[in-house]
Amino acid sequence: MLPFNPNQTLVTGAFEGEVGILRASGVFPHLQVMGIGNLEAAVNLSEYLFRNKEINHIIFFGSCGAYEWSGIPIKSVVSPNLVFTKELAHALKLSKQIPESPDSYQFIPDKNFHPVRCNAPTTITLTELKIPPEDSWVNLDVENLELFGIAKVAAKFSLSVTAYLVVTNLVGPMGSADWTKNWKDLSHSLQNQFLQK
């Protein structure tokens, strides 16, 4: 894991199960759950940062689904270097996505783990998605629901972000069921791995 100053670093995740072991360790003075989804995470992160101006780095712990074309297996731990928010409905020409500016944010990946390009849409993909729905998706590897909101707020506050995601499922119709089956054991393993470093 990358070195960091615990007094200036916010450790976070979407919900308590993703950071509960870290919280119980008592090692992290700034540890806060930010909520599920880009909007919830962004609002709660903004509020936290306004109250804690000493924070200069964010470490996010979470889960993700891998896009089948990435070849990344379930149980892998990945560390995003870029995050986007691309909506499947737009790619399938079922809706028009409101443009984001910028359309992506850079993270500081931990090079001990597979670096990935993460998509953070506002919805969970429930359809078959074996190949990229359009060219702009070809280089996307995984899908997480919070990281674009986290990244956008971090950029406004001029903060750096590192994320550790465990792959719980493949994106598609069975993704939610597989996530439900896998997240707890895999998240606990990731948190314990971080504490042992």
Short mmCIF file of all heavy atoms in Angstrom, two decimals, residues 1 9 12 16 18-19 26 40 42 50 55 58 69 79 88 91-92 97 99-100 139 169 171 173 178 187 192 194:
data_model
loop_
_atom_site.label_atom_id
_atom_site.label_comp_id
_atom_site.label_asym_id
_atom_site.label_seq_id
_atom_site.Cartn_x
_atom_site.Cartn_y
_atom_site.Cartn_z
N MET A 1 0.84 -1.17 0.00
CA MET A 1 0.00 0.00 0.00
C MET A 1 0.89 1.25 0.00
O MET A 1 1.99 1.23 0.52
CB MET A 1 -0.91 0.02 1.22
CG MET A 1 -1.77 -1.22 1.38
SD MET A 1 -3.05 -1.32 0.15
CE MET A 1 -3.81 -2.86 0.56
N THR A 9 -5.19 12.26 5.96
CA THR A 9 -5.79 11.36 4.98
C THR A 9 -7.16 10.90 5.44
O THR A 9 -7.32 10.43 6.57
CB THR A 9 -4.89 10.12 4.75
OG1 THR A 9 -3.60 10.57 4.32
CG2 THR A 9 -5.49 9.19 3.71
N THR A 12 -12.14 6.16 3.37
CA THR A 12 -13.58 6.13 3.19
C THR A 12 -14.03 4.95 2.32
O THR A 12 -13.22 4.29 1.67
CB THR A 12 -14.07 7.47 2.57
OG1 THR A 12 -15.50 7.48 2.58
CG2 THR A 12 -13.57 7.66 1.15
N GLU A 16 -20.58 0.94 5.69
CA GLU A 16 -19.79 0.49 6.83
C GLU A 16 -19.07 -0.83 6.58
O GLU A 16 -17.93 -1.03 7.04
CB GLU A 16 -20.67 0.38 8.09
CG GLU A 16 -19.90 0.14 9.37
CD GLU A 16 -18.92 1.24 9.74
OE1 GLU A 16 -19.12 2.41 9.36
OE2 GLU A 16 -17.92 0.91 10.43
N GLU A 18 -17.55 -1.83 4.10
CA GLU A 18 -16.32 -1.67 3.32
C GLU A 18 -15.18 -1.05 4.12
O GLU A 18 -14.04 -1.04 3.66
CB GLU A 18 -16.59 -0.81 2.07
CG GLU A 18 -17.50 -1.52 1.08
CD GLU A 18 -17.77 -0.72 -0.18
OE1 GLU A 18 -17.78 0.53 -0.14
OE2 GLU A 18 -17.99 -1.36 -1.22
N VAL A 19 -15.48 -0.54 5.32
CA VAL A 19 -14.43 0.08 6.15
C VAL A 19 -14.50 -0.33 7.62
O VAL A 19 -13.69 0.14 8.42
CB VAL A 19 -14.48 1.63 6.03
CG1 VAL A 19 -14.13 2.09 4.63
CG2 VAL A 19 -15.82 2.18 6.49
N GLY A 26 -8.73 1.27 14.87
CA GLY A 26 -8.40 2.49 15.58
C GLY A 26 -7.19 3.23 15.03
O GLY A 26 -6.71 4.19 15.63
N GLU A 40 -24.63 10.85 -3.60
CA GLU A 40 -24.55 10.71 -2.15
C GLU A 40 -23.11 10.87 -1.67
O GLU A 40 -22.82 11.59 -0.71
CB GLU A 40 -25.10 9.34 -1.74
CG GLU A 40 -25.23 9.13 -0.26
CD GLU A 40 -26.47 9.76 0.35
OE1 GLU A 40 -27.34 10.23 -0.40
OE2 GLU A 40 -26.54 9.80 1.58
N ALA A 42 -20.61 12.38 -3.20
CA ALA A 42 -20.12 13.74 -3.42
C ALA A 42 -20.63 14.71 -2.36
O ALA A 42 -19.87 15.53 -1.82
CB ALA A 42 -20.52 14.22 -4.81
N PHE A 50 -15.33 20.30 4.24
CA PHE A 50 -15.54 21.65 4.78
C PHE A 50 -15.23 21.69 6.28
O PHE A 50 -14.76 22.70 6.78
CB PHE A 50 -16.97 22.13 4.52
CG PHE A 50 -17.19 22.68 3.15
CD1 PHE A 50 -18.17 22.15 2.32
CD2 PHE A 50 -16.42 23.73 2.67
CE1 PHE A 50 -18.38 22.65 1.05
CE2 PHE A 50 -16.62 24.25 1.39
CZ PHE A 50 -17.61 23.70 0.58
N ILE A 55 -7.33 17.67 5.62
CA ILE A 55 -7.26 16.54 4.69
C ILE A 55 -6.61 16.97 3.37
O ILE A 55 -6.99 17.97 2.79
CB ILE A 55 -8.67 15.97 4.40
CG1 ILE A 55 -9.34 15.49 5.69
CG2 ILE A 55 -8.61 14.85 3.36
CD1 ILE A 55 -8.62 14.38 6.41
N ILE A 58 -7.25 11.31 -0.11
CA ILE A 58 -8.38 10.42 0.17
C ILE A 58 -8.00 9.01 -0.28
O ILE A 58 -7.45 8.83 -1.37
CB ILE A 58 -9.64 10.88 -0.60
CG1 ILE A 58 -10.07 12.27 -0.12
CG2 ILE A 58 -10.79 9.88 -0.43
CD1 ILE A 58 -11.10 12.93 -1.02
N TRP A 69 -14.92 -7.78 -21.18
CA TRP A 69 -13.84 -7.64 -22.16
C TRP A 69 -12.49 -7.28 -21.51
O TRP A 69 -11.45 -7.38 -22.14
CB TRP A 69 -14.20 -6.60 -23.22
CG TRP A 69 -14.48 -5.22 -22.69
CD1 TRP A 69 -13.58 -4.25 -22.40
CD2 TRP A 69 -15.77 -4.67 -22.40
NE1 TRP A 69 -14.22 -3.13 -21.93
CE2 TRP A 69 -15.56 -3.35 -21.93
CE3 TRP A 69 -17.07 -5.16 -22.50
CZ2 TRP A 69 -16.61 -2.51 -21.56
CZ3 TRP A 69 -18.12 -4.32 -22.12
CH2 TRP A 69 -17.88 -3.03 -21.66
N SER A 79 -6.49 -0.93 -8.66
CA SER A 79 -6.32 0.44 -8.18
C SER A 79 -6.46 1.37 -9.38
O SER A 79 -5.56 1.46 -10.22
CB SER A 79 -4.95 0.60 -7.51
OG SER A 79 -4.83 1.87 -6.91
N LEU A 88 -24.74 3.68 -19.75
CA LEU A 88 -25.04 2.68 -20.76
C LEU A 88 -26.20 3.11 -21.65
O LEU A 88 -26.18 2.89 -22.86
CB LEU A 88 -25.35 1.34 -20.08
CG LEU A 88 -25.64 0.17 -21.03
CD1 LEU A 88 -24.44 -0.10 -21.95
CD2 LEU A 88 -25.99 -1.07 -20.23
N ALA A 91 -24.86 5.15 -24.40
CA ALA A 91 -24.10 4.35 -25.35
C ALA A 91 -25.02 3.54 -26.27
O ALA A 91 -24.71 3.32 -27.44
CB ALA A 91 -23.15 3.41 -24.62
N LEU A 92 -26.17 3.13 -25.74
CA LEU A 92 -27.14 2.34 -26.52
C LEU A 92 -28.13 3.22 -27.27
O LEU A 92 -29.09 2.73 -27.84
CB LEU A 92 -27.89 1.38 -25.60
CG LEU A 92 -27.04 0.32 -24.89
CD1 LEU A 92 -27.88 -0.49 -23.93
CD2 LEU A 92 -26.34 -0.58 -25.91
N GLN A 97 -26.71 11.68 -22.51
CA GLN A 97 -26.01 11.95 -21.27
C GLN A 97 -25.59 13.42 -21.21
O GLN A 97 -25.08 13.97 -22.18
CB GLN A 97 -24.78 11.05 -21.15
CG GLN A 97 -24.06 11.22 -19.83
CD GLN A 97 -23.00 10.15 -19.61
OE1 GLN A 97 -22.86 9.22 -20.39
NE2 GLN A 97 -22.25 10.28 -18.53
N PRO A 99 -23.13 16.17 -20.61
CA PRO A 99 -21.66 16.09 -20.63
C PRO A 99 -21.04 16.55 -19.30
O PRO A 99 -21.54 17.46 -18.65
CB PRO A 99 -21.25 17.05 -21.75
CG PRO A 99 -22.50 17.51 -22.40
CD PRO A 99 -23.66 17.13 -21.55
N GLU A 100 -19.97 15.89 -18.91
CA GLU A 100 -19.19 16.27 -17.74
C GLU A 100 -17.93 16.97 -18.22
O GLU A 100 -17.35 16.60 -19.24
CB GLU A 100 -18.79 15.03 -16.94
CG GLU A 100 -19.92 14.38 -16.19
CD GLU A 100 -20.32 15.13 -14.94
OE1 GLU A 100 -19.60 16.05 -14.52
OE2 GLU A 100 -21.38 14.80 -14.38
N ASN A 139 -11.66 0.88 -23.53
CA ASN A 139 -10.59 0.89 -22.54
C ASN A 139 -11.08 0.94 -21.09
O ASN A 139 -10.27 1.06 -20.18
CB ASN A 139 -9.64 2.06 -22.80
CG ASN A 139 -8.87 1.88 -24.09
OD1 ASN A 139 -8.43 0.78 -24.40
ND2 ASN A 139 -8.72 2.94 -24.85
N ASN A 169 -17.74 -9.16 -9.03
CA ASN A 169 -18.65 -9.73 -10.03
C ASN A 169 -18.26 -9.25 -11.41
O ASN A 169 -17.43 -8.34 -11.56
CB ASN A 169 -20.09 -9.29 -9.73
CG ASN A 169 -20.25 -7.78 -9.68
OD1 ASN A 169 -19.98 -7.15 -8.64
ND2 ASN A 169 -20.65 -7.19 -10.79
N VAL A 171 -19.87 -7.37 -14.69
CA VAL A 171 -20.99 -6.46 -14.95
C VAL A 171 -21.99 -7.17 -15.87
O VAL A 171 -21.61 -7.74 -16.89
CB VAL A 171 -20.49 -5.16 -15.61
CG1 VAL A 171 -21.66 -4.28 -16.01
CG2 VAL A 171 -19.55 -4.43 -14.67
N PRO A 173 -26.34 -9.06 -16.01
CA PRO A 173 -27.60 -9.39 -15.33
C PRO A 173 -27.42 -10.10 -13.99
O PRO A 173 -28.29 -10.00 -13.12
CB PRO A 173 -28.34 -10.28 -16.33
CG PRO A 173 -27.34 -10.67 -17.36
CD PRO A 173 -26.24 -9.66 -17.34
N ASP A 178 -24.23 -11.64 -7.69
CA ASP A 178 -22.86 -12.06 -7.39
C ASP A 178 -22.21 -11.11 -6.40
O ASP A 178 -21.46 -11.53 -5.52
CB ASP A 178 -22.04 -12.15 -8.68
CG ASP A 178 -22.44 -13.34 -9.53
OD1 ASP A 178 -23.10 -14.27 -9.01
OD2 ASP A 178 -22.11 -13.34 -10.73
N SER A 187 -14.30 -7.91 0.66
CA SER A 187 -14.01 -6.62 1.29
C SER A 187 -13.23 -6.80 2.59
O SER A 187 -12.29 -6.06 2.87
CB SER A 187 -15.31 -5.87 1.57
OG SER A 187 -15.04 -4.66 2.25
N ASN A 192 -8.16 -6.33 5.64
CA ASN A 192 -7.13 -7.00 6.41
C ASN A 192 -5.77 -6.92 5.73
O ASN A 192 -4.74 -6.74 6.38
CB ASN A 192 -7.51 -8.46 6.69
CG ASN A 192 -8.57 -8.56 7.78
OD1 ASN A 192 -8.50 -7.86 8.79
ND2 ASN A 192 -9.54 -9.42 7.58
N PHE A 194 -4.74 -4.49 3.87
CA PHE A 194 -4.27 -3.11 4.05
C PHE A 194 -3.68 -2.94 5.45
O PHE A 194 -2.64 -2.30 5.62
CB PHE A 194 -5.42 -2.14 3.83
CG PHE A 194 -5.01 -0.71 3.81
CD1 PHE A 194 -4.39 -0.17 2.70
CD2 PHE A 194 -5.26 0.11 4.90
CE1 PHE A 194 -4.02 1.17 2.68
CE2 PHE A 194 -4.88 1.46 4.88
CZ PHE A 194 -4.27 1.98 3.77
#
